Amino acid sequence: MAQTDNKKFFENLTGAGKAIAVLTSGGDAQGMNAAVRAVVRMGIYVGAKVYFVHEGYQGMVDGGDNIKEATWESVSSMLQMGGTVIGSARCKDFRTHEGRLKAAHNLVQRGITNLCVIGGDGSLTGANLFREEWSGLLAELVQQSLIDEEAAQKYSALHIVGMVGSIDNDFCGTDMTIGTDSALHRIIEVVDAIMTTAQSHQRTFVLEVMGRHCGYLALVSALACGADWVLIPEMPPEDGWEEKMCQKLSAKRAGMKRLNIIIVAEGAIDRNNKAITSEHVKNLVVQRLGFDTRVTILGHVQRGGTPSAFDRILASRMGVEAVLALLETTANTAACVVSLRGNQSVRLPLMECVQMTQEVQKAMDEKRFEEAVRLRGRSFENNLKTYKLLAHRKPESELPHSNFNVAVLNVGAPAAGMNAAVRSAVRVGISEGHKMFAVSDGFEGFSKGQIKEVKWADVGGWTGQGGSLLGTKRTLPAKHIEKIAEQMRQYNINALLMIGGFEALECLLQLCEARSSYEEFCVPLCMLPATISNNVPGTDLSIGADTALNAIVETCDRIKQSASGTKRRVFIIETMGGYCGYLASVGGLAAGADAAYIFEEPFDIRDLQSNVEHLTEKMKTGIQRGLILRNENSNENYTTDFIYQLYSEEGRGVFDCRKNVLGHMQQGGSPSPFDRNFGTKIAAKAMQWITKKLSESYRQGRVFANTEDSACLLGMRRRALVFQPVVQLKDETDFIHRTPKEQWWLKLRPLMKILAKYKTSYDVSDSGQLEHVVLSRPKESEAMAAI
């Protein structure tokens, strides 16, 4: 390992002489192919032999052509495919000792002692049992003269690394499993489509979603579409829920709402562990309310389709991490599973995760439902709390009365998910007893008095709307500061919540500076990052960036597909992002790009020439398509046109070239499930912070907040949501190029290069530490931000 400045690099880590087998087992999930591709390419990159095991454990038991050596080219075009190309099967044979003996023989014959298993808890438990029995199985094979003593010595230890591929997200220890985000995309697409027909006919829809004994898909989709009622197995409804549900639906309909959505998890139960079916819910609504009601069972459509950008990135990161874990294992290393915590890849002991997953079911069976929710993890717990907060309005008599007025506004360019954040802020604010005011057209509208009080029902149906329903402008407050202060006085605004991108940060700083001249701004000020560019300091992720990534990846898929059957072709795609290369880099990783040109990583003509030569070599191996992404401000001279013309000239006779500028399509469209939920949750957290600050700063009949920590940005940092005083973020900001000085995603760039067959340096300082599954109570400042 090369050591430089306490950083750990992997380029001296070799897989020479090692053989790795990769298999997918159990139910399929979108993103499994991206994980397989990453394992194969990273394995080959470090010099190991990599084998496909077709048809899961069944293929390992049967051997023969089911275990084939993989090549770099054999995983081309896999990234965008749903399901699993190498096949998956439930295997009874592997559950028997004889079956595992056959599997061990098949692996030893090929020298395979490293196994990468992509599947659910059952598949991973089976892998661990196999590892524990390995030495005994080899002894039996020697006894039966199927292998010799030398082979038994040489292949004496089996190393296992798992990745969880399951749409259910029912595995403890990871915030997200491969396939979950894509399944949410399918569900939300259906819900959005159903909403239009339901509104046309004043209908109630009961949707049944998958998840077996886990209510994650049901809960998160309910949060993402603003469903009226959700039924999940971890937290069954209180006795008498039927009456309460019907009362709520009836009240909604009386309030002129034309549709009702009820989401039922397939494993939903009541307090007595009796199943609650979608048909039962429908019959209840029809019999008690007489509403026109339809049932839609989504079924396997949730498992199908192309993987989302999130799943491709997650699977690619996990696949690379899995190979690193296998290279670093020793005979004494426990089987581990590669997981996602917040925004970090971590390694956890496989059996600790499996045991905690089994504890959840045990808690549910024993009716310890609060415990079951807690065991599911912070992310699940936060989702449930947020849903309860937003879906069920308390009667006026039960609401606290704060006498505080809070204004919400959008600043800068529109970003998908802004409306979900506004809805969440308004509803949580009302629940906290505040009067909520919405400002139209940002600070420009503020200065003109475009301010009105908003009620609970005014923001109904906002979650799935793209853009900014409040309207947004890039105008900074400094030029209208006196008029804005006057409006703050007139409406007695006691706190301000801004949702926006880099302009919102500048606005917040200007308001802080204005505090010395205008007491009106000595109130709690909070900003939520919302921009497709993901260029706001103080946060790893911004609302809207995930939707933009999905738009880029979807378009790249279509563009690459357009070259099918034609001669060899390279596509040059220009993405947005200003001077921030997030969309080009992370979009490139998700779309399988060969290179991504960005401002943060300067490049010259030699780099361009090197990329052309690399693509030329690649095309000669039979690969038909190349993909190059360029961030719009990556270089003022090497424009998209220049790069297109250079590639066209240099590639003549080998490949031809096409270019595409994606433009504002990256900013539009319906928000992704991630952006809906991220916006919803951070806005809820921000409003709770505002309430706390208001009560702390209320003195002698008025609010006075003039400290550094009363003007904050709420951002996601690695594993936690953190409130950071905006003045402290000034040192972290490059104001000329409107980017943070340090950007976490630059660490992902080597992954894209490795998976595109470039030799590169890769910092693995964050890798290699085996953590443990702990059930700590979350501190107020450490709520998880993963959906």
Side-chain angles (χ1 to χ4, degrees):
M1 284 288 202
Q3 293 287 340
T4 318
D5 302 325
N6 295 323
K7 285 188 175 179
K8 187 170 74 169
F9 295 91
F10 92 113
E11 48 264 38
N12 295 333
L13 197 64
T14 177
K18 294 194 175 186
I20 300 169
V22 58
L23 67 102
T24 53
S25 175
D28 63 302
Q30 307 97 316
M32 278 183 164
N33 289 322
V36 169
R37 171 182 178 267
V39 170
V40 169
R41 291 198 165 175
M42 186 65 169
I44 292 171
Y45 186 90
V46 296
K49 274 189 171 184
V50 187
Y51 291 85
F52 291 134
V53 179
H54 291 275
E55 310 308 330
Y57 286 119
Q58 191 65 56
M60 202 193 294
V61 172
D62 295 344
D65 286 344
N66 288 304
I67 306 174
K68 278 185 182 172
E69 189 173 348
T71 64
W72 192 275
E73 290 73 31
S74 61
V75 291
S76 294
S77 304
M78 271 175 76
L79 192 61
Q80 64 267 34
M81 296 174 81
T84 165
V85 169
I86 59 174
S88 180
R90 312 273 180 196
C91 179
K92 286 180 183 173
D93 293 343
F94 192 73
R95 291 179 189 168
T96 67
H97 183 77
E98 292 73 23
R100 292 192 290 278
L101 190 67
K102 281 184 188 173
H105 186 216
N106 288 326
L107 293 188
V108 171
Q109 280 182 314
R110 294 163 178 81
I112 298 167
T113 55
N114 297 282
L115 205 53
C116 184
V117 180
I118 307 162
D121 60 337
S123 305
L124 299 178
T125 307
N128 191 61
L129 175 64
F130 192 38
R131 185 186 73 89
E132 287 171 350
E133 289 182 351
W134 183 256
S135 56
L137 294 170
L138 294 198
E140 275 187 65
L141 291 170
V142 170
Q143 207 176 356
Q144 294 175 22
S145 303
L146 290 169
I147 62 169
D148 56 29
E149 198 67 55
E150 191 186 336
Q153 287 291 317
K154 191 177 179 184
Y155 306 121
S156 60
L158 178 68
H159 307 297
I160 301 280
V161 172
M163 284 182 270
V164 191
S166 165
I167 67 165
D168 302 339
N169 204 31
D170 58 352
F171 193 80
C172 291
T174 185
D175 290 339
M176 287 289 269
T177 57
I178 296 167
T180 306
D181 187 66
S182 301
L184 285 170
H185 273 258
R186 298 296 93 77
I187 294 167
I188 294 305
E189 281 164 19
V190 171
V191 174
D192 286 353
I194 275 174
M195 278 182 160
T196 55
T197 182
Q199 278 181 321
S200 305
H201 297 277
Q202 283 198 312
R203 276 192 182 137
T204 298
F205 269 90
V206 181
L207 262 81
E208 184 184 299
V209 301
M210 289 172 97
R212 279 190 310 175
H213 306 297
C214 179
Y216 186 88
L217 289 179
L219 177 58
V220 174
S221 50
L223 200 54
C225 71
D228 298 296
W229 202 268
V230 65
L231 293 155
I232 59 170
E234 292 86 349
M235 187 51 73
E238 301 289 343
D239 292 340
W241 64 274
E242 297 92 340
E243 189 57 41
K244 281 184 186 168
M245 183 185 76
C246 290
Q247 280 174 0
K248 185 180 179 191
L249 298 179
S250 188
K252 284 278 180 84
R253 196 59 66 89
M256 303 306 289
K257 188 177 177 187
R258 294 181 62 83
L259 80 154
N260 301 111
I261 300 279
I262 302 162
I263 295 183
V264 184
E266 64 179 346
I269 51 171
D270 65 15
R271 292 263 152 184
N272 299 310
N273 281 358
K274 187 185 165 199
I276 299 174
T277 65
S278 47
E279 200 59 39
H280 172 62
V281 175
K282 175 202 166 181
N283 293 337
L284 263 174
V285 177
V286 172
Q287 286 160 18
R288 299 199 183 192
L289 299 173
F291 287 177
D292 183 2
T293 307
R294 299 282 191 276
V295 172
T296 299
I297 298 172
L298 297 189
H300 281 71
V301 72
Q302 295 157 89
R303 271 210 178 123
T306 58
S308 65
F310 183 100
D311 272 330
R312 297 181 196 200
I313 296 156
L314 174 68
S316 298
R317 287 176 73 180
M318 283 186 171
V320 167
E321 184 71 23
V323 173
L324 290 174
L326 285 169
L327 293 180
E328 291 172 9
T329 52
T330 64
N332 303 319
T333 310
C336 76
V337 62
V338 180
S339 298
L340 180 79
R341 289 273 182 90
N343 199 25
Q344 274 188 293
S345 294
V346 295
R347 300 177 197 172
L348 300 167
L350 190 148
M351 289 319 291
E352 280 186 25
C353 297
V354 169
Q355 279 155 15
M356 192 172 296
T357 304
Q358 290 166 350
E359 282 294 314
V360 180
Q361 191 57 50
K362 193 176 167 191
M364 283 156 60
D365 292 341
E366 293 171 5
K367 301 182 184 178
R368 292 181 284 117
F369 298 114
E370 296 283 346
E371 182 74 1
V373 169
R374 197 166 71 86
L375 287 164
R376 279 278 182 235
R378 291 180 189 173
S379 175
F380 191 93
E381 213 172 352
N382 287 344
N383 282 321
L384 188 57
K385 282 178 187 167
T386 310
Y387 177 77
K388 284 178 177 176
L389 204 58
L390 297 174
H392 304 297
R393 187 185 180 183
K394 290 178 183 172
E396 291 286 338
S397 57
E398 289 179 31
L399 289 174
H401 287 286
S402 72
N403 295 319
F404 293 127
N405 295 343
V406 181
V408 183
L409 71 161
N410 293 335
V411 181
M418 275 182 163
N419 297 321
V422 171
R423 169 187 175 266
S424 177
V426 167
R427 291 196 168 179
V428 174
I430 290 169
S431 298
E432 304 270 345
H434 311 317
K435 261 191 181 178
M436 297 301 297
F437 289 84
V439 181
S440 299
D441 297 337
F443 280 103
E444 194 174 305
F446 209 142
S447 68
K448 295 173 183 172
Q450 291 170 218
I451 305 163
K452 64 172 185 178
E453 188 182 348
V454 275
K455 303 285 189 184
W456 186 280
D458 294 337
V459 289
W462 279 36
T463 320
Q465 301 284 326
S468 164
L469 292 171
L470 285 183
T472 179
K473 292 276 175 75
R474 294 180 184 271
T475 311
L476 301 182
K479 59 198 281 192
H480 303 295
I481 202 77
E482 201 166 306
K483 287 181 179 174
I484 294 165
E486 193 183 305
Q487 297 297 339
M488 293 278 286
R489 261 195 318 276
Q490 190 179 327
Y491 286 90
N492 189 26
I493 301 297
N494 308 118
L496 211 52
L497 178 66
M498 283 165 274
I499 303 164
F502 201 88
E503 287 91 353
L505 179 80
E506 293 174 310
C507 292
L508 191 48
L509 285 166
Q510 287 184 3
L511 295 182
C512 287
E513 285 166 18
R515 280 175 163 181
S516 55
S517 309
Y518 299 92
E519 267 194 12
E520 291 80 2
F521 302 118
C522 296
V523 295
L525 304 170
C526 187
M527 174 198 160
L528 303 180
T531 166
I532 69 163
S533 304
N534 201 31
N535 64 331
V536 178
T539 187
D540 290 353
L541 295 170
S542 299
I543 300 164
D546 183 70
T547 305
L549 274 181
N550 277 290
I552 291 166
V553 168
E554 205 176 297
T555 310
C556 287
D557 284 354
R558 290 183 182 184
I559 285 169
K560 285 201 292 186
Q561 198 178 44
S562 74
S564 296
T566 66
K567 58 183 179 175
R568 299 184 186 106
R569 185 164 283 171
V570 173
F571 295 95
I572 318 289
I573 313 285
E574 183 186 298
T575 66
M576 290 173 87
Y579 286 98
C580 178
Y582 176 81
L583 290 179
S585 296
V586 183
L589 178 60
D594 295 281
Y597 300 123
I598 60 169
F599 175 77
E600 292 91 342
E601 209 172 89
F603 58 96
D604 58 24
I605 195 72
R606 288 182 294 276
D607 297 308
L608 294 171
Q609 184 62 39
S610 165
N611 292 150
V612 172
E613 287 167 5
H614 184 88
L615 274 167
T616 304
E617 286 304 308
K618 177 179 156 177
M619 295 291 178
K620 287 175 183 173
T621 65
I623 290 171
Q624 294 286 315
R625 297 180 294 274
L627 184 66
I628 306 291
L629 269 62
R630 178 189 173 274
N631 169 243
E632 58 185 352
N633 289 347
S634 56
N635 189 295
E636 61 180 336
N637 295 314
Y638 300 134
T639 62
T640 302
D641 278 337
F642 176 89
I643 292 171
Y644 162 69
Q645 286 166 359
L646 176 77
Y647 273 68
S648 296
E649 180 61 34
E650 296 296 315
R652 191 171 291 178
V654 181
F655 59 80
D656 68 358
C657 223
R658 294 288 183 274
K659 65 173 177 177
N660 206 304
V661 177
L662 300 187
H664 281 74
M665 63 153 288
Q666 296 158 86
Q667 216 166 53
S670 178
S672 68
F674 185 95
D675 279 331
R676 296 181 194 204
N677 288 3
F678 187 49
T680 297
K681 286 204 287 191
I682 65 170
K685 193 168 180 63
M687 284 308 302
Q688 288 165 339
W689 177 85
I690 283 172
T691 300
K692 187 165 162 262
K693 288 289 172 196
L694 283 169
S695 60
E696 286 173 1
S697 55
Y698 187 68
R699 302 279 182 277
Q700 290 142 6
R702 73 187 187 109
V703 172
F704 188 80
N706 196 21
T707 53
E708 267 192 13
D709 68 351
S710 65
C712 283
L713 177 146
L714 173 56
M716 181 184 172
R717 282 273 170 104
R718 289 165 80 89
R719 302 189 192 184
L721 283 172
V722 188
F723 287 97
Q724 299 144 101
V726 70
V727 290
Q728 292 177 16
L729 293 175
K730 282 165 97 172
D731 293 339
E732 296 180 27
T733 308
D734 173 353
F735 284 97
I736 295 168
H737 299 106
R738 300 163 70 81
T739 57
K741 286 178 182 172
E742 283 191 25
Q743 305 191 79
W744 70 273
W745 52 264
L746 285 168
K747 283 187 176 180
L748 298 183
R749 279 184 65 78
L751 293 191
M752 185 189 73
K753 291 179 181 177
I754 287 166
L755 298 175
K757 218 174 183 176
Y758 285 92
K759 286 288 175 194
T760 187
S761 179
Y762 180 38
D763 177 11
V764 292
S765 309
D766 287 344
S767 301
Q769 300 305 312
L770 192 68
E771 301 187 11
H772 290 278
V773 185
V774 286
L775 253 188
S776 58
R777 299 303 302 162
K779 292 178 192 168
E780 187 59 34
S781 63
E782 288 184 354
M784 291 303 293
I787 59 167

